[in-house]
Amino acid sequence: MKDTLKTYSPIDNSLYVERAFAKEDEIQLALERALSAKKNWAATPLTERERYCTAAVDALVAKKDEIAKEICWQMGRPIRYASGEINGLEERARYMIAAARDALDPISLPEKTGFIRYIKREPLGLTLVIAPWNYPYLTAVNAIIPAIMAGNVVLLKHSAQTPLVAERFDQAFREANFPQGVFQYLHLTHSDTEKILRDSSINYIAFTGSVAGGAMIERATAGRFLSIGLELGGKDPAYVRYDADIDNAVDTLMDGAFFNSGQSCCGIERIYVHKSVYEHFVNKAVALVKQYKLGRPDDPETTLGPLVRPSSVAFVRAQIEEALAQGAIAHIDSRDFVMDQPGSAYMAPQILTQVNHKMRIMTEETFGPVVGIMAVGSDEEAIALMNDSEYGLTAAVFTQDITQGVAIGEQLHTGTFFINRCDYLDPALAWTGVKNSGRGCTLSAIGYDVLTRPKSYHLKTINRERNLP
């Protein structure tokens, strides 16, 4: 068994972080501290929780530039974009802090003579957050801040690719003077993570990752009847109608497909374009993508960084090569991108046409800088193809007819529907998925429902005058 966690930077494959994995006694101590803290934290007034959480967010924002460099080196995000992660964290965290005021209020019922009735929302207890590397702060904050605001205590297990994120959260909560045990993190092996999943002290699990990872969590917790939130990825589609603003569609969809080197659970992985504008769309998309600069992410001029590791490149290339063998056409010459070298984590972007749903590139999550584009003849054909997937996280339609766009959206099997945008989380809206994209919900006022349990109060008043002689 490995004794240390080692993070190799995709920039140059150098060892960037090394940490000891938590030992058994450290794991037990963390669980004991959480159990000791949860009663007092649940009783802490909401205004106090808000003060603590706001201070922690302030502490993270104050270190935005340092954090951006760490994101760049840990997972390869171009430095020109890396600080945007903390901007997004701030937006989501501050929204959810404010939303808690109404979302956690008791529910009062209409007056009923002789009775007082209301419903309170009680915290679940200890929340285990398992977060991924691709948007390491955004995915984590979706669960951490709402869980703590709801009166839960949190234990964070972050990806081995981004361990400094867990440490930055911990530092921020310490600077905010959080009570001991309310927030903790552990660097864990896979086997120790599974042990914690089965521990009776865990009351809720928030997981973002692969379908296989979600299945492992369900197996490990079977029979405990735990509440589990799972965000498991997608193969998100977009449809460009004949009446779309093509310039906006190209700019938005290419960014949605290639930002973060395509390593986004809600990134655009397949595009359907009405045949009347198909050629125009493809030509503009190819011209735009050819302008990307693939390079070291610590170079401010770089617009497309490496994938997280060389094995990810091999997986994406296998999908592309298989599609080409089945008749797909590639529009980008990788030789034009000098950093695209065999065995490295750097990979040129790619646009494929003449694709179909017999190809993995259009059905299996790719998580890399490639997108397939198909021509369609009607809205009905586009809807059928967009729904032909085991995933359902987001879907987008580009059109100037909002009414018709909404009518299409109502027929799509998806958690979030966009018109004329994509690949974005609005914290006021519920973030959820259908099918293999997961279950549960984060963000919005609804996100607090999964972090609390309802407790009903049914009080009968007694008129003492009736008992007098």
Side-chain angles (χ1 to χ4, degrees), residues 412-449:
L412 296 177
H413 307 153
T414 188
T416 295
F417 171 66
F418 298 101
I419 291 181
N420 298 328
R421 79 175 312 176
C422 63
D423 191 29
Y424 180 79
L425 276 70
D426 183 330
L429 293 170
W431 187 244
T432 185
V434 300
K435 298 186 279 189
N436 279 1
S437 285
R439 58 185 171 89
C441 171
T442 58
L443 302 179
S444 82
I446 296 173
Y448 279 106
D449 290 347

Side-chain angles (χ1 to χ4, degrees), residues 266-284:
C266 61
I268 295 298
E269 295 207 1
R270 50 197 176 106
I271 302 173
Y272 307 95
V273 183
H274 193 275
K275 61 184 181 182
S276 64
V277 294
Y278 173 77
E279 185 175 350
H280 183 42
F281 178 90
V282 170
N283 289 340
K284 278 187 166 288

Side-chain angles (χ1 to χ4, degrees), residues 38 49 72 89 107 164 171 191 206 219 223 225 230 239 246 278 298 311 327 372 386 400 420 463:
K38 73 177 187 179
R49 295 182 217 157
C72 175
L89 174 146
I107 301 172
L164 297 185
Q171 181 184 29
S191 61
R219 287 193 301 270
F225 310 113
L230 302 172
Y239 170 39
I246 298 300
Y278 173 77
D298 55 346
S311 60
M386 293 171 85
Q400 297 185 62
N420 298 328
N463 186 346

Side-chain angles (χ1 to χ4, degrees), residues 62-294:
K63 295 178 176 61
K64 179 168 64 175
D65 292 341
E66 299 169 45
I67 289 172
K69 292 177 183 177
E70 293 171 357
I71 292 172
C72 175
W73 276 88
Q74 286 176 101
M75 54 74 61
R77 175 100 38 85
I79 192 64
R80 66 190 295 164
Y81 306 129
S83 63
E85 177 114 359
I86 301 305
N87 295 338
L89 174 146
E90 181 178 17
E91 178 190 25
R92 295 182 192 183
R94 297 202 194 284
Y95 180 87
M96 292 305 291
I97 290 169
R101 300 166 195 162
D102 293 329
L104 297 174
D105 272 351
I107 301 172
S108 298
L109 299 177
E111 183 177 347
K112 185 177 181 180
T113 303
F115 296 92
I116 300 171
R117 301 173 301 158
Y118 57 95
I119 303 168
K120 292 188 71 174
R121 305 178 194 273
E122 293 194 338
L124 298 177
L126 173 52
T127 293
L128 174 63
V129 177
I130 304 177
W133 52 264
N134 62 319
Y135 284 91
Y137 285 90
L138 293 178
T139 51
V141 79
N142 287 354
I144 293 172
I145 290 295
I148 290 175
M149 285 298 300
N152 300 292
V153 295
V154 168
L155 178 61
L156 172 63
K157 187 275 178 197
H158 217 294
S159 167
Q161 190 65 37
T162 44
L164 297 185
V165 177
E167 296 175 14
R168 284 291 187 182
F169 270 110
D170 185 63
Q171 181 184 29
F173 286 119
R174 288 177 184 274
E175 290 182 15
N177 295 315
F178 265 71
Q180 186 182 64
V182 174
F183 175 86
Q184 299 174 89
Y185 77 92
L186 291 171
H187 295 314
L188 297 170
T189 63
H190 288 305
S191 61
D192 282 336
T193 300
E194 290 195 42
K195 288 179 185 177
I196 289 180
L197 288 169
R198 290 189 288 268
D199 195 286
S200 60
S201 61
I202 302 298
N203 304 114
Y204 178 74
I205 299 167
F207 172 79
T208 303
S210 67
V211 173
M216 180 276 289
I217 288 174
E218 291 201 326
R219 287 193 301 270
T221 58
R224 288 202 57 213
F225 310 113
L226 275 179
S227 181
I228 302 174
L230 302 172
E231 186 197 320
L232 306 179
K235 190 73 179 175
D236 291 7
Y239 170 39
V240 181
R241 294 186 81 228
Y242 64 87
D243 66 339
D245 179 324
I246 298 300
D247 287 342
N248 173 66
V250 168
D251 288 346
T252 304
L253 286 173
M254 292 306 100
D255 183 67
F258 295 104
F259 187 81
N260 212 37
S261 297
Q263 299 169 122
S264 173
C265 54
C266 61
I268 295 298
E269 295 207 1
R270 50 197 176 106
I271 302 173
Y272 307 95
V273 183
H274 193 275
K275 61 184 181 182
S276 64
V277 294
Y278 173 77
E279 185 175 350
H280 183 42
F281 178 90
V282 170
N283 289 340
K284 278 187 166 288
V286 171
L288 176 60
V289 172
K290 285 182 176 180
Q291 297 175 32
Y292 290 169
K293 180 177 179 181
L294 176 67

